[in-house]
Amino acid sequence: MDAPMKPLGLLQGKFIFKKLPNGNLDKTKVVCTLCNAEFVYCRSSSSLKYHLNAKHPLANLEDAGSRVARGKSFRQTTMFECNRGKPISAALSSKLTNLLAQWIATSCRPISLVEDDGLELVLQVATGDSSYKLPARCDENRGARQFADACARQFLDVANQWGIADKTSTIGTDSARNMVAAGRILPFQHLPCVAHVIQRAIVVSLRESGFDGFLVKCRKVVGHFKHSPANSDELNAQQASLGQEQEQLVQDVPTRWNSTLEMVKRVRRNRDALHTTLSQQKHNLALPTNAEYEKLAKLEKMLEPCRYITELLGGENYISCSVVLPALCHLQHAMKISDDDPAYSVRFKAAFTKDLNQRWENINLEWLKVYQTQKINALFDHYDLKGFK
């Protein structure tokens, strides 16, 4: 006896015609054998294929010739798996080494970064080469030197294009290692940015003198008003009721010079307005105590000379190089420890003086002395004051 014939199907049997109660097939309707969804069939399988792609993408692999055992899971092959076992080319490896050297030099990263196992793993996944190894320290040092050479060439090219190469005596940069290395190559005297040096000394002194604790309180109070226009409006209203100038608080940022001083000034200046406004709000802020406000006043007094010198060194209407030595001497005098200084002020001044003295070696003081002497002689010659030399 012949076996009963199976209902005719479409797309390799994934759709069958709907069976009527009388046993006949309805050739205008089909049913998905995977989810029993019913569709109208008009002699076109486009909508059926769309259903398979959208709802049953794994089942559609059979149409592509895939013969995977039933029950095995499907997933997309990753790029790392596709490239596994294929080492990167020597050209790409050299390019990665140069880019790493450029990153370390321009971003002031430590050379020890090339010994970071996590970075090596990231690059292995990114390149698809599980055998990739980070370059050795000597390679990175060589790359940093090459980048310094490139910086020096760029400086000379710009100087020549502008026609000032024979008029330039000094070039100033920040204290990044690649900039310092480029300065040694150039035929000009190199002078690091003294304002950067002062700001770095301030950061070190704040950390080592114990001011960080209540500066954190100030930052949180400022953030409470900076991040909420409603809170800021309430503070302005309170300032007006107290007869004070309506002003915004300032958040200190490590890369924004004198921002710590400005934050301290405004918090102290608006002390009453801040306390009154916060007493009417729900918050979990810890406000500075009376003793901490006294410390903030001392800190403001110590930071004020630094602000003055920083702005003096940033002047545009005079040659700022001529005021470096007097400015540094002024700071040394301002940071002298007196018998009346409390312990935290002593720690701040000692840390500031120590850090500044350590950086003096890289400021090219001898050249500054020569430059200062030349300027003084030029003034005497200009005003015919030879008898006073």
Side-chain angles (χ1 to χ4, degrees):
M1 183 177 180
D2 296 337
M5 294 185 64
K6 296 181 180 180
L8 297 178
L10 300 173
L11 298 180
Q12 287 76 42
K14 295 181 178 61
F15 293 89
I16 59 174
F17 292 108
K18 183 179 180 180
K19 192 174 182 179
L20 299 175
N22 60 7
N24 296 329
L25 297 179
D26 185 353
K27 296 296 185 70
T28 63
K29 296 181 179 180
V30 293
V31 178
C32 176
T33 59
L34 301 174
C35 64
N36 293 325
E38 186 175 313
F39 299 91
V40 175
Y41 179 65
C42 300
R43 296 187 180 183
S44 174
S45 59
S46 298
S47 60
L48 308 182
K49 290 180 180 178
Y50 177 81
H51 172 74
L52 286 178
N53 291 331
K55 301 297 183 180
H56 312 292
L58 299 182
N60 219 18
L61 290 176
E62 296 180 3
D63 296 338
S66 176
R67 297 292 182 267
V68 182
R70 186 178 298 274
K72 185 177 180 180
S73 62
F74 292 87
R75 66 180 179 85
Q76 185 176 1
T77 304
T78 65
M79 183 182 297
F80 183 65
E81 291 173 336
C82 291
N83 294 331
R84 184 179 294 168
K86 299 179 181 179
I88 61 175
S89 63
L92 180 56
S93 178
S94 177
K95 185 176 181 180
L96 282 175
T97 299
N98 291 334
L99 289 175
L100 281 171
Q102 182 176 343
W103 174 44
I104 290 173
T106 56
S107 301
C108 300
R109 304 292 179 180
I111 298 295
S112 59
L113 197 67
V114 297
E115 299 172 352
D116 191 319
D117 294 336
L119 177 61
E120 185 173 270
L121 180 60
V122 168
L123 290 175
Q124 287 176 354
V125 174
T127 60
D129 182 5
S130 58
S131 63
Y132 175 79
K133 299 295 180 184
L134 286 171
R137 274 176 175 261
C138 58
D139 295 332
E140 289 304 310
N141 285 328
R142 183 168 58 252
R145 287 194 297 270
Q146 292 174 351
F147 191 71
D149 292 339
C151 288
R153 288 195 299 271
Q154 181 65 20
F155 281 133
L156 286 175
D157 290 342
V158 172
N160 289 326
Q161 290 174 7
W162 290 0
I164 59 173
D166 57 342
K167 303 175 184 178
T168 303
S169 62
T170 311
I171 183 170
T173 68
D174 57 24
S175 298
R177 291 186 177 182
N178 59 323
M179 292 291 102
V180 174
R184 295 194 190 102
I185 301 171
L186 291 167
F188 317 123
Q189 291 289 333
H190 177 253
L191 186 67
C193 178
V194 181
H196 274 95
V197 172
I198 294 173
Q199 296 303 314
R200 177 59 185 166
I202 292 174
V203 172
V204 172
S205 305
L206 290 174
R207 184 175 62 245
E208 296 186 3
S209 57
F211 280 100
D212 277 348
F214 43 91
L215 284 178
V216 169
K217 290 184 179 180
C218 293
R219 294 186 188 108
K220 290 182 179 180
V221 170
V222 173
H224 176 77
F225 291 95
K226 294 287 286 185
H227 299 155
S228 171
N231 292 340
S232 181
D233 290 341
E234 291 182 18
L235 176 61
N236 291 338
Q238 192 62 43
Q239 289 170 337
S241 66
L242 294 174
Q244 297 179 358
E245 178 186 355
Q246 294 185 4
E247 60 179 356
Q248 298 294 323
L249 300 179
V250 173
Q251 186 69 276
D252 72 328
V253 180
T255 55
R256 187 185 301 157
W257 296 349
N258 302 318
S259 59
T260 300
L261 172 61
E262 193 60 31
M263 179 184 72
V264 171
K265 279 184 174 182
R266 299 205 182 190
V267 168
R268 290 188 61 244
R269 197 158 55 223
N270 294 280
R271 176 179 178 177
D272 294 338
L274 286 171
H275 281 252
T276 304
T277 304
L278 290 174
S279 66
Q280 302 169 0
Q281 298 177 347
K282 291 183 178 180
H283 61 86
N284 56 357
L285 297 172
L287 296 173
T289 62
N290 291 334
E292 289 174 339
Y293 272 112
E294 292 180 5
K295 292 181 179 180
L296 289 175
K298 293 285 187 181
L299 178 60
E300 179 181 337
K301 186 177 180 180
M302 290 186 292
L303 290 179
E304 190 60 39
C306 300
R307 179 204 60 79
Y308 170 73
I309 296 302
T310 301
E311 294 180 356
L312 183 67
L313 293 172
E316 297 181 354
N317 297 326
Y318 48 86
I319 306 300
S320 57
C321 186
S322 61
V323 301
V324 171
L325 282 179
L328 293 177
C329 291
H330 175 73
L331 276 182
Q332 290 282 7
H333 178 75
M335 294 299 169
K336 282 185 178 180
I337 299 173
S338 66
D339 296 336
D340 298 331
D341 286 333
Y344 52 86
S345 294
V346 172
R347 289 194 298 268
F348 180 92
K349 291 182 177 181
F352 185 92
T353 303
K354 179 182 176 181
D355 190 80
L356 189 62
N357 288 338
Q358 289 176 348
R359 299 175 188 275
W360 269 40
E361 300 177 357
N362 299 322
I363 296 181
N364 199 352
L365 289 177
E366 293 301 321
W367 169 245
L368 285 175
K369 292 176 182 178
V370 172
Y371 183 86
Q372 195 79 15
T373 303
Q374 291 175 346
K375 293 293 290 184
I376 293 173
N377 290 336
L379 287 173
F380 275 98
D381 293 338
H382 178 74
Y383 292 103
D384 196 18
L385 301 173
K386 297 179 181 180
F388 293 92
K389 286 187 179 181

